[in-house]
Amino acid sequence: MNDNATWMQRDLASLWHPCTQMKDHETLPVTPIRSGKGVWLEDFEGKRCLDAISSWWVNILGHANERINDRIKTQLDTLEHVILSGFTHQPVIELSERLGRLAPAGLGHCFYADNGSSAIEIALKMSYHYWHNRGRPEKRRFLTITNGYHGETLGALSVGDVAIFTDTYRSLLLDVIKVPAPDGFGLPRDQWIDQARAAFAHMEAALERHGDELAAVIVEPLIQCAGGMRMYPPEYLSWLREACDRHNVQLIFDEIAVGFGRTGTMFACEQAGVRPDYLCLSKAITGGYLPLSVVMTTDDIYAAFYDDYSTLRAFLHSHSYTGNPLACAAALATLDILEEDDVIAANRERAARIEQVTAPLRDHPHVGDVRQTGMVVAIEMVKDKATLEPYDFRERRGLKVFQHAMSRGAMLRPLGNVIYWMPPYVITPEEIDFLGEVTREGLEVATGQ
């Protein structure tokens, strides 16, 4: 039988799902999806739900986008994959050239992998190896800010700071220096910069104290996504770039979740007018179609590895599907659409509608903050609005929002007590209004008010 129940049964007999306590599925049904179109997903019984989080932040141009479909189909008939060591192909060359034109000037070399965590591992290894090749092996530690998230592999976990992901593995992780993050939680937007300036004093002190042993600083620009969509102003990135230069420390920007128009510009770092030494990209790069990630870096860093083979200076890091032609074709189609349809400019109108629809939620007695950067909005539920005391995570208020939203035909997947929207860029004003209605109802269900 081709119904939801059959697929659920087969799933639970054979799959172990990511980021899931599988025991939950004794009472919480897993949702089989048969198809998708635009912002909508459809199950095997014809019930639709609006994908309000772009299927883990990747599907920026809608499901079953015909232009991306066509580009992949054309590529499939030509070349599906080839080893990228000693060989190359047209899509990866064209994508590298194009990214070089789009990214901040000076990031002219692309190193590919197939997921965000791997991109972070590459950047960390490359930074450490750079200093080793330059005769500074003592520069081997990393500095980051609290509440960050950079992926699930051990190096990426090391520079992260979301306890539910890191605590179990702490004895396996690198010794990373962490300082308080800039965080506008609970503050009016015009006070974010003062809070960020106070937080940056800790970063400056750490660079002053540890600069001689630091390889790099790594941060998520503007939004700490998995850390609850906490946000901060671009000025922090400007101060950080200047301080890293002054202390001879490299800078890694993790734009895996926020790149490709999500924050209002192609790359979040543009809003600060700065260039990192390593720019890590993934997720939306293929429009949500295929796994691909890239680390972009500078001529100076590339030159530190460029030598005779016998010197053993080469960066001998590899992944089997590095620079896959199908994924690169999807990425090129995604960039075509962003450019030809002027999507990022059009997103300003969508973002304004999102702000208009969610602003009234600030008045809810258990909403401590409504914050927005570009096409990301977060509504944070709190136990006490006056003190911003959070709900106990064991109460699973966010799960109640999720269950209500699914019953209404919307896929909201809160991060703990934080309800957020990160919708595809093809969402309509009417669909934004619908999400606002469902979110308001979900808040009432989850908080009893």
Side-chain angles (χ1 to χ4, degrees), residues 37 56 87 100 118 124 282 341 343 361 367 382 404 435 443 447:
K37 185 65 179 176
W56 256 343
F87 293 81
S118 293
L124 297 176
S282 191
D341 294 3
V343 171
L361 300 178
V367 168
V382 294
H404 173 77
L435 276 184
L443 277 168
T447 65

Side-chain angles (χ1 to χ4, degrees), residues 273-318:
V274 298
R275 185 206 73 195
D277 299 290
Y278 307 90
L279 180 62
C280 300
L281 304 169
S282 191
K283 288 192 181 289
I285 191 171
T286 66
Y289 271 72
L290 290 164
L292 185 71
S293 65
V294 59
V295 179
M296 302 185 69
T297 193
T298 66
D299 289 346
D300 174 66
I301 292 167
Y302 178 80
F305 297 85
Y306 195 93
D307 208 339
D308 293 333
Y309 180 82
S310 60
T311 66
L312 300 179
R313 288 174 173 260
F315 189 61
L316 301 178
H317 183 105
S318 62

